Amino acid sequence: MRMYWTLIAGLAVVLPAPGHAQQQTGLVTVAEAMGAASLNSIEFTGSGFVFSFGQAYEPGERWPRFIQRTYSAAINYQTSAMRLVQVRSQGEHPPRGGGAQAVGADQRTVSVVSGKFAWQETDTQATPNNGAALERLRQVWATPHGVIKAATANAGKVDGNTVTVTVEGREFKALLNAQNLVEKVSYLSTNEVVGDYAIEIAYSDYADFGGVKFPRHIVQTEDGHPTLDIIVSDVKPNAAVTIAAPANVREAAPQPLRVGVEKLADGVWYFSTPNARNWAVEFNDHIVVVEGIGSEARSLAAIEEIKKAIPNKPIRYVINTHAHYDHAGGLRTYVAQGATIITHELNKPFFERAWARPRTIAPDSLSKAPKAATFETVSDKKVLTDGSKTIELYHMKGTSHNVANLLVYMPAEKLLFWGDGYNPPAGDDPRDRGRTPEQTIDLYRVITMNNLDVKTIAPAHGFGPKPYDNLKKAIGLIPL
Ligand SMILES: [Zn+2]
């Protein structure tokens, strides 16, 4: 009797589990092939190319390319922590597309995550960025060993040559090669312009580093185009990686989005959040917003202020200077509220395609109450006027930043708004020190070609409003 019940009890435990046991066996085999079981931390360094997501020269085209002089990751899998050091320099000559081209001196960024804390590091300070923690943790679990560790810890499933696991709220798939090495990891991400999109990381050219297999070539694509392509030169398995969030990061409270409001001229208002600015212009019976910049959250906060500055008039139009994601991320909110988009004719088919895509990860107000966007398009020039106010839109032909970029000009007020090209720094020194002046010269050429009499520039990025002479000083036309 005793043996019988023991057997039943044993069966009762084992029977529901053979699938699970097989899964575990499969994962153990993969972990052994990868050398993952005994790997608690890793450092790897490479170099190659990095690309700027959402900053294509032409809507739908590949992302602009930069040189990645250094890509150096230090990961501790046990504490869910990673420090990533990247050094980039200008990659395309002449510049083509956005991403703050043309890069002047090499740019070094240090992005760190440790559990739920995330921050940027410089030599002297840590800037909290806890909102980035989840996406950075996904990067940790998307590494070749990370995905196998995540699958082992989170009841991942093996089906043929595919490992599937849900971690940090997303389903990851890892594809194995014939040697049981991870050759591709993919998961879904989200963006305000295109909605759901795939991140895929291909790992190839594996080598043995002290019993741990690691790829020597890593290619990441986002929404179908490369964002990283590096050759790995150095791998240190089980390097000592200690990453702890500094006190100011641990104690950082989420910052509410505050919109600064400034009057540029009669009936022209300037709305500012960190590094994102737009205008609202009061016409007789409606409002025209210049740039649906940023995100839905940014647009909702701005619209609240726009309605206070210009009460009791509907927002009938929103001008979009170009389709770069930092400029177009907040457009859909205006559409949801009934505004018509004015943009260059090349952008309309891009937005229509992008906005037909699924938005399962981050639904917005337009996806929750869908309606077709209405467009008025510009080819060379368009004038909006009702006698009280006039806005002129010019296609910025032949610029390196974007093929379908509009310049916004108000002739009576001599005011200028543009998508990118010159981001004035704070203070009186007009020089945009992060970049070479190529795109500012492009902008100056468009202004003079169209005989625009500009007095004040109130831009989308950087600081403003600034005197137009600052732009001329920045490109050496007026001495500093
Ligand atoms: Zn741009």
Side-chain angles (χ1 to χ4, degrees):
M1 276 305 277
R2 177 176 289 184
M3 282 187 68
Y4 175 79
W5 282 110
T6 306
L7 186 63
I8 295 296
L11 281 174
V13 173
V14 173
L15 271 180
H20 180 67
Q22 277 171 15
Q23 301 295 349
Q24 285 302 322
T25 310
L27 284 170
V28 167
T29 308
V30 177
E32 272 174 13
M34 297 281 302
S38 58
L39 187 76
N40 296 322
S41 63
I42 194 164
E43 282 181 9
F44 64 93
T45 300
S47 60
F49 298 104
V50 66
F51 305 74
S52 212
F53 178 77
Q55 299 289 318
Y57 173 70
E58 236 176 278
E61 198 192 54
R62 65 174 181 82
W63 313 128
R65 187 181 69 242
F66 298 81
I67 292 167
Q68 185 85 104
R69 296 210 180 280
T70 305
Y71 182 98
S72 183
I75 297 172
N76 186 323
Y77 291 115
Q78 291 185 311
T79 60
S80 304
M82 173 169 73
R83 173 181 281 105
L84 178 61
V85 179
Q86 290 175 278
V87 180
R88 78 166 196 171
S89 16
Q90 181 65 19
E92 306 204 31
H93 305 278
R96 183 182 173 87
Q101 295 189 59
V103 175
D106 282 3
Q107 295 169 340
R108 184 174 187 266
T109 53
V110 183
S111 318
V112 197
V113 63
S114 180
K116 60 183 180 179
F117 301 109
W119 65 100
Q120 301 302 120
E121 261 178 26
T122 63
D123 290 342
T124 52
Q125 62 176 4
T127 306
N129 187 11
N130 291 329
L134 276 179
E135 194 50 43
R136 291 184 189 171
L137 288 175
R138 288 182 196 117
Q139 284 182 281
V140 170
W141 303 123
T143 55
H145 299 87
V147 74
I148 299 307
K149 285 180 166 293
T152 306
N154 297 283
K157 293 198 165 36
V158 186
D159 183 8
N161 66 341
T162 305
V163 178
T164 306
V165 62
T166 298
V167 61
E168 311 301 352
R170 300 286 158 78
E171 187 184 77
F172 283 60
K173 280 193 187 302
L175 206 64
L176 308 171
N177 68 13
Q179 287 76 46
N180 271 332
L181 303 175
V182 173
E183 64 179 15
K184 188 186 271 186
V185 175
S186 55
Y187 64 98
L188 277 187
S189 191
T190 181
N191 168 268
E192 306 259 0
V193 175
V194 297
D196 299 357
Y197 72 92
I199 295 182
E200 294 187 332
I201 311 164
Y203 299 111
S204 60
D205 200 7
Y206 269 87
D208 191 292
F209 298 88
V212 169
K213 299 286 194 297
F214 201 83
R216 280 193 294 214
H217 191 189
I218 300 175
V219 179
Q220 179 162 335
T221 63
E222 296 190 39
D223 208 16
H225 302 292
T227 50
L228 184 75
D229 186 340
I230 56 163
I231 301 296
V232 174
S233 52
D234 192 27
V235 179
K236 291 194 185 83
N238 288 318
V241 176
T242 308
I243 300 169
N248 71 312
V249 174
R250 291 178 168 273
E251 287 153 16
Q255 293 295 312
L257 193 58
R258 244 190 230 106
V259 182
V261 183
E262 203 171 339
K263 190 174 179 177
L264 293 171
D266 267 355
V268 187
W269 300 84
Y270 197 31
F271 302 90
S272 301
T273 50
N275 207 31
R277 296 156 192 271
N278 66 343
W279 292 5
V281 182
E282 180 174 11
F283 282 65
N284 280 328
D285 63 355
H286 65 274
I287 300 167
V288 176
V289 170
V290 179
E291 207 77 308
I293 199 162
S295 59
E296 169 131 303
R298 204 278 181 192
S299 287
L300 289 171
I303 288 168
E304 232 181 276
E305 296 302 324
I306 290 168
K307 291 193 165 162
K308 281 187 221 162
I310 311 171
N312 304 318
K313 290 187 183 179
I315 298 171
R316 194 165 294 160
Y317 296 103
V318 56
I319 293 165
N320 164 252
T321 61
H322 63 307
H324 283 172
Y325 297 177
D326 56 329
H327 290 262
L331 263 187
R332 288 168 54 91
T333 318
Y334 293 94
V335 175
Q337 299 202 6
T340 292
I341 295 168
I342 301 175
T343 189
H344 191 268
E345 59 192 4
L346 286 175
N347 296 322
K348 181 183 173 208
F350 169 75
F351 285 130
E352 287 176 334
R353 271 198 315 276
W355 293 355
R357 293 169 55 174
R359 280 171 195 266
T360 61
I361 293 177
D364 61 8
S365 55
L366 189 58
S367 69
K368 288 177 199 156
K371 64 166 101 163
T374 54
F375 289 88
E376 283 185 19
T377 59
V378 182
S379 47
D380 285 349
K381 180 182 175 181
K382 186 180 184 76
V383 180
L384 283 74
T385 186
D386 67 353
S388 74
K389 283 280 177 292
T390 299
I391 297 176
E392 297 177 358
L393 303 173
Y394 294 88
H395 178 208
M396 299 179 70
K397 283 180 205 151
T399 62
S400 66
H401 185 76
N402 183 269
V403 72
N405 208 347
L406 296 179
L407 187 64
V408 183
Y409 174 62
M410 293 190 70
E413 294 80 3
K414 302 183 194 301
L415 270 171
L416 190 81
F417 182 98
W418 71 92
D420 287 295
Y422 172 56
N423 303 340
D428 292 331
D429 188 338
R431 285 169 292 182
D432 184 354
R433 288 172 183 276
R435 307 190 292 179
T436 64
E438 276 141 300
Q439 292 191 334
T440 310
I441 292 167
D442 254 2
L443 171 64
Y444 177 77
R445 180 179 56 79
V446 175
I447 292 168
T448 48
M449 242 172 50
N450 290 292
N451 299 311
L452 307 184
D453 180 13
V454 181
K455 207 174 118 200
T456 308
I457 48 183
H461 299 307
F463 292 83
K466 296 285 182 190
Y468 181 50
D469 280 355
N470 279 26
L471 184 150
K472 292 186 184 171
K473 287 176 186 168
I475 56 175
L477 284 172
I478 296 180
L480 286 167

